[in-house]
């Protein structure tokens, strides 16, 4: 078995006790951290999602896979992010109201942070009011980033973007959106300034606005 398939196998089957050691071993062997993340970890979450769609896996399995991935990401994080001066301004990020998924959002926050922004992470199930309060109470907010993984919370994203577009300080920040069901077309339709399909591209997108 390769390092990558060991890692994806452990995440898919929720082997939480061995994941830290597997990730550390792969890092020590010199595998690129982004390859470990994308080919090992993200691929495993996609696979468990497909099994859930087919009725072969259930919420508890998704949850244990998510916890296993989080433990793996903690080991990987220092190797993905580099020290920066947070000179590019503040990014307020959150998963929209009604949605509890946070793995993708956390990866986007991590990559944007490593690109040189300061992150204000509001967590999951974030209401319009909490986004607005964060924009008002933090210095130099340049980007507001919204995540959602559920088709049922896409209207929540749409509503939050519409209200943020009416914000008095709207000219001072850009809105970016993402998450598995989101497309560039949807982003444009709801009035967001940008969309990207993954965390690495989100960091490039954020920098393009600075
Ligand atoms: C893990 C998981 C869970 C875990 C979440 C744990 C956690 N802490 O996040 C738990 C078990 C809690 C869960 C619950 C549910 N889930 Co769920 N879950 C998943 C699963 C398997 C993986 C998600 C994930 O972490 N992917 C890996 C990350 C890295 O990818 P990502 O999130 O897409 O993020 C990347 C990009 O999208 C992008 N991105 C993400 N956010 C942003 C933001 C910005 C600004 C930008 C630019 C980019 C960006 O960059 C990220 C990194 O590259 C998916 C299946 C899937 N393939 O997505 C289902 C899935 C999302 N879940 C689903 C469902 C149905 C549910 C439940 C309703 C199940 C239930 N009956 O209770 C609940 C909903 C609870 C709620 N209210 O939120 C469905 C959604 C279907 C739909 N059409 O809406 C999916 C697609 C499974 C399926 N195939 O049916 N889930």
């Amino acid at each position: 078995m390769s390092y990558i398939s060991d890692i994806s196998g452990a995440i898919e089957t929720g082997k939480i006790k061995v994941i830290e050691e597997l990730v550390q071993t792969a890092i020590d062997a010199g595998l690129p951290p982004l390859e470990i993340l994308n080919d090992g970890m993200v691929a495993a979450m996609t696979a468990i999602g497909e099994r859930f769609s087919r009725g072969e896996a259930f919420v508890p399995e998704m949850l244990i896979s998510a916890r296993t991935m989080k433990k793996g990401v903690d080991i990987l994080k220092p190797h993905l992010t580099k020290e920066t001066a947070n000179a590019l301004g503040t990014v307020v990020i959150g998963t929209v109201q009604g949605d509890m998924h946070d793995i993708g959002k956390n990866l986007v926050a991590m990559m944007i942070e490593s690109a040189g922004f300061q992150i204000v992470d509001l967590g999951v199930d974030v209401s319009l009011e909490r986004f607005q309060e964060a924009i008002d109470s933090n210095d130099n907010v340049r980007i507001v980033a919204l995540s959602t993984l559920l088709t049922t919370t896409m209207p929540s994203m749409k509503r939050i973007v519409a209200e943020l577009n009416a914000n008095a300080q709207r000219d001072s920040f850009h809105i970016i959106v993402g998450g598995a069901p989101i497309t560039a077309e949807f982003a444009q339709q709801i009035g967001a300034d940008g969309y990207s399909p993954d965390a690495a591209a989100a960091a490039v997108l954020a920098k393009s606005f600075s």
Side-chain angles (χ1 to χ4, degrees), residues 38 42 45-50 52-53 59-60 62-63 66 69-70 93 98-105 107-108 145-152 176-181 194-200 202 205:
N38 290 327
V42 176
M45 295 309 290
T46 306
I48 184 89
E50 284 164 0
F52 178 81
S53 294
V59 171
M62 287 204 290
L63 198 55
M69 168 141 179
K70 275 190 180 169
I93 189 166
D99 190 345
M100 304 296 173
H101 294 84
D102 69 354
I103 295 176
K105 183 265 296 166
L107 292 178
V108 169
L146 284 73
S147 176
T148 197
L149 268 276
L150 298 172
T151 46
T152 47
I176 65 172
V177 295
Y195 155 82
S196 81
D198 61 51
L205 177 67

Side-chain angles (χ1 to χ4, degrees), residues 16-96:
I16 201 156
K17 288 189 180 136
V18 299
I19 190 67
E20 287 168 313
E21 196 186 327
L22 288 175
V23 174
Q24 191 59 56
T25 307
I27 293 167
D28 293 345
L31 264 76
L34 260 184
E35 191 180 318
I36 300 174
L37 179 69
N38 290 327
D39 298 350
M41 300 181 169
V42 176
M45 295 309 290
T46 306
I48 184 89
E50 284 164 0
R51 283 175 43 216
F52 178 81
S53 294
R54 294 195 300 267
E56 294 164 8
F58 303 94
V59 171
E61 281 100 329
M62 287 204 290
L63 198 55
I64 185 78
S65 289
R67 288 197 185 131
T68 310
M69 168 141 179
K70 275 190 180 169
K71 266 193 178 268
V73 169
D74 286 346
I75 301 293
L76 208 54
K77 191 173 174 182
H79 301 273
L80 283 167
T81 53
K82 51 182 187 289
E83 284 301 309
T84 53
N86 296 330
L88 299 180
T90 301
V91 176
V92 170
I93 189 166
T95 301
V96 303

Side-chain angles (χ1 to χ4, degrees), residues 106-122:
N106 293 346
L107 292 178
V108 169
M110 196 168 82
M111 295 303 277
I112 289 182
E113 186 176 19
S114 75
F117 291 88
Q118 184 171 343
I119 298 291
V120 174
D121 188 345
L122 302 178

Side-chain angles (χ1 to χ4, degrees), residues 141-163:
V141 174
R142 307 303 304 276
I143 293 173
V144 181
L146 284 73
S147 176
T148 197
L149 268 276
L150 298 172
T151 46
T152 47
T153 45
M154 288 167 74
S156 175
M157 176 180 269
K158 182 179 175 183
R159 190 179 59 84
I160 293 172
V161 172
E163 294 290 337

